Amino acid sequence: MSLRAVFFDIDDTLYSSTRFAWRAREQAVAAMCRAGLRVPRERALAELAEVVAEFGSNDDRHYDRLLQRLGPDSHAGAHPALIVMAGVIAYHETKWRELTIPETERRLLADLAAAGLRLGVITAGLRMKQAEKILRLGLDRFLDPDLVFITDQEGIAKTNPKLYLRAAARAGIEPGQAMHVGDHPLHDADTARRAGMIAVLHQGSGKYAHLEGGLEPHHRIDELAELRPILVEYGVDLPG
Amino acid sequence: MSLRAVFFDIDDTLYSSTRFAWRAREQAVAAMCRAGLRVPRERALAELAEVVAEFGSNDDRHYDRLLQRLGPDSHAGAHPALIVMAGVIAYHETKWRELTIPETERRLLADLAAAGLRLGVITAGLRMKQAEKILRLGLDRFLDPDLVFITDQEGIAKTNPKLYLRAAARAGIEPGQAMHVGDHPLHDADTARRAGMIAVLHQGSGKYAHLEGGLEPHHRIDELAELRPILVEYGVDLPG
């Protein structure tokens, strides 16, 4: 049995979403202050961190909630919708301007595709947000469009092995012929293992250092480049 | 009684939204074809025109609906969410890249502000979409943030004179001391007149050439620069 496909999570696996999101939020708060928010940046950023923690990263009213929490005095004389939108524009511009896959990762993906592996993603999130990341990061050049699985589109969460079994079936292979690389010990590594895939836990962001899955992943990595020797173990013919 | 404030509609008044939206949609369709949509561009664009006409310009699923209508054969082997998002990204990038207020209009706004007039907007649309236009166009430099009225935020449509009366009240003036410039004979000019404002109908886009309001506007213009001599009639001290 040889390896035929590799499925990746996107956030904090193919790129450092946590780091980029906070750089973008710093820029957003700076833009909101320029647009009339009269609160020290550090205080606004601390409050924003609470909003993100309480309402989740896919909430689409982070900056509205920030203004609500800071109260009307924080933006008296300015227009709230303009402050909020100044933040949204700055967030997106920073994120898309700075967002790239480093050359090492890009070469790895190209080498995997050249070695005849089918590449896909299994990712949690909103259909359009995840699709935008794939395109902005230029992942679409390497991915098999048939093998893009976004929980919001499939109606199955990453805690359910069905999602991983579906991915293997779509690729026309046995789960054991597929590797999954993700950063969440429970949602990624655990479920991939339960589905019978080779589970690689990407611990690079440290975001889930406090969590342990129920099953030990087959491999643990801190950066994507570490996949190279692992893949060679599975008989993948990689250069260098 | 002298003129104290000028309120503008945004779309097809402060910039040619109709022209920019279609240029951006052409680029969107081109990007969707590159992302795997296998339909001649002209056919896709004609179908998109029907979608926009049927569901309105604020519908947020134009490209999803386009794919639905073109059927699964139109994008077999590609990923629908990636095609849709390729269109969305191209649309926004084209629009924001090409969107500017021409220098003539910019100078007019600067001159009006310098002459001591308070400048505001009264515009129909979604709060965040209209706020984004104000910021992307750089209108926020000229506008009084207190005098930004977006129907979605106020809960009053432009067909109701209350919106215009509220704007005058917020500016602390009589409606007759305010001018309103907009491109819709019924929603803009008619309602502004009914509220007692000086109503200027901007006919430049030709979009509503088939419509006539119930009341004759005080002035009709084809481009914003024609406001200059009109304002002088009202005693506004403008250079040149």
Side-chain angles (χ1 to χ4, degrees):
Chain A
M1 185 215 70
S2 66
L3 195 63
R4 304 272 302 280
V6 182
F7 291 96
F8 294 92
D9 182 20
I10 297 178
D11 299 282
D12 283 327
T13 297
L14 285 176
Y15 85 105
S16 303
S17 54
T18 303
R19 191 174 66 222
F20 279 111
W22 279 106
R23 281 163 69 128
R25 287 185 190 119
E26 280 171 2
Q27 296 302 311
V29 163
M32 291 169 83
C33 290
R34 284 193 300 274
L37 182 64
R38 295 182 302 179
V39 164
R41 288 190 195 183
E42 294 65 31
R43 193 185 145 208
L45 207 59
E47 194 77 34
L48 181 58
E50 288 189 17
V51 171
V52 175
E54 290 169 30
F55 293 88
S57 62
N58 277 331
D59 175 70
D60 63 357
R61 297 175 63 81
H62 286 163
Y63 304 130
D64 277 303
R65 298 190 201 282
L66 176 61
L67 254 59
Q68 275 183 300
R69 293 161 77 118
L70 295 172
D73 285 353
S74 71
H75 53 277
H79 196 281
L82 295 181
I83 296 179
V84 169
M85 187 39 75
V88 172
I89 291 175
Y91 178 91
H92 286 297
E93 291 193 343
T94 307
K95 190 153 175 181
W96 300 136
R97 193 174 55 238
E98 299 194 3
L99 202 58
T100 48
I101 303 205
E103 185 48 34
T104 321
E105 271 83 342
R106 196 189 309 271
R107 211 164 46 234
L108 175 65
L109 292 174
D111 288 346
L112 295 184
L117 286 173
R118 297 183 68 187
L119 304 181
V121 298
I122 298 178
T123 180
L126 304 179
R127 192 172 72 107
M128 282 300 135
K129 271 185 87 163
Q130 298 309 93
E132 183 163 22
K133 289 170 194 169
I134 290 172
L135 292 171
R136 298 267 190 188
L137 288 164
L139 297 173
D140 53 314
R141 271 170 294 170
F142 307 112
L143 297 178
D144 195 323
D146 254 3
L147 301 184
V148 172
F149 296 87
I150 305 169
T151 54
D152 175 44
Q153 174 146 46
E154 304 296 326
I156 308 175
K158 285 212 293 186
T159 45
N160 189 340
K162 264 190 194 168
L163 184 63
Y164 296 75
L165 293 172
R166 174 179 291 196
R170 181 86 59 81
I173 59 178
E174 296 299 317
Q177 297 176 300
M179 174 178 281
H180 183 266
V181 189
D183 71 317
H184 199 296
L186 296 150
H187 302 172
D188 292 313
D190 240 22
T191 327
R193 268 216 77 150
R194 282 161 63 207
M197 285 188 184
I198 301 156
V200 179
L201 182 62
H202 187 311
Q203 307 174 121
S205 75
K207 198 163 122 188
Y208 301 118
H210 58 297
L211 289 178
E212 263 307 318
L215 301 168
E216 178 61 22
H218 293 93
H219 306 276
R220 291 169 183 264
I221 59 174
D222 288 318
E223 46 185 282
L224 222 50
E226 295 170 31
L227 271 188
R228 211 174 266 274
I230 294 174
L231 285 159
V232 172
E233 281 179 40
Y234 287 92
V236 179
D237 185 22
L238 288 176
Chain B
M1 185 214 73
S2 66
L3 196 64
R4 304 271 302 279
V6 182
F7 291 98
F8 294 92
D9 182 21
I10 297 178
D11 300 283
D12 284 327
T13 297
L14 285 175
Y15 85 105
S16 301
S17 54
T18 304
R19 191 173 65 223
F20 279 111
W22 280 105
R23 280 162 69 129
R25 287 187 189 118
E26 281 171 4
Q27 296 301 312
V29 163
M32 291 169 82
C33 290
R34 285 194 299 274
L37 182 63
R38 294 181 302 179
V39 164
R41 287 190 195 181
E42 295 66 30
R43 192 183 146 212
L45 207 59
E47 194 76 34
L48 181 58
E50 287 188 18
V51 171
V52 175
E54 289 169 30
F55 293 88
S57 63
N58 277 331
D59 176 70
D60 63 357
R61 298 176 61 84
H62 285 161
Y63 304 130
D64 277 303
R65 296 189 202 284
L66 176 61
L67 254 61
Q68 275 183 299
R69 293 161 77 119
L70 294 173
D73 286 352
S74 71
H75 53 277
H79 195 282
L82 295 182
I83 296 179
V84 169
M85 187 40 75
V88 171
I89 292 175
Y91 178 90
H92 286 297
E93 291 194 342
T94 308
K95 191 153 174 181
W96 300 136
R97 193 174 55 237
E98 300 194 3
L99 202 58
T100 48
I101 303 204
E103 186 48 33
T104 322
E105 271 84 343
R106 197 188 308 270
R107 213 165 45 234
L108 175 66
L109 292 173
D111 288 347
L112 295 184
L117 285 173
R118 297 183 69 187
L119 304 181
V121 298
I122 299 178
T123 180
L126 304 179
R127 191 172 75 108
M128 282 301 137
K129 272 185 87 163
Q130 298 309 92
E132 182 163 24
K133 289 170 194 169
I134 290 170
L135 292 172
R136 297 268 189 189
L137 288 164
L139 297 174
D140 54 314
R141 272 170 293 172
F142 307 112
L143 296 177
D144 194 322
D146 255 3
L147 302 183
V148 172
F149 296 88
I150 305 170
T151 54
D152 175 44
Q153 176 147 46
E154 304 296 326
I156 309 175
K158 285 213 294 186
T159 45
N160 189 341
K162 264 190 195 169
L163 184 62
Y164 297 75
L165 294 172
R166 174 179 292 196
R170 181 87 58 83
I173 59 178
E174 296 299 318
Q177 297 176 301
M179 174 179 281
H180 182 267
V181 190
D183 71 316
H184 198 296
L186 296 148
H187 302 172
D188 293 312
D190 240 23
T191 327
R193 269 216 75 152
R194 284 161 61 208
M197 284 189 184
I198 300 156
V200 179
L201 181 62
H202 188 312
Q203 307 174 122
S205 75
K207 197 162 123 189
Y208 302 118
H210 59 295
L211 289 178
E212 263 308 317
L215 300 169
E216 178 61 20
H218 293 94
H219 306 276
R220 290 170 184 262
I221 59 174
D222 289 317
E223 46 185 282
L224 221 51
E226 295 170 33
L227 271 188
R228 211 173 265 272
I230 293 173
L231 286 159
V232 172
E233 281 177 43
Y234 287 91
V236 179
D237 186 22
L238 288 175

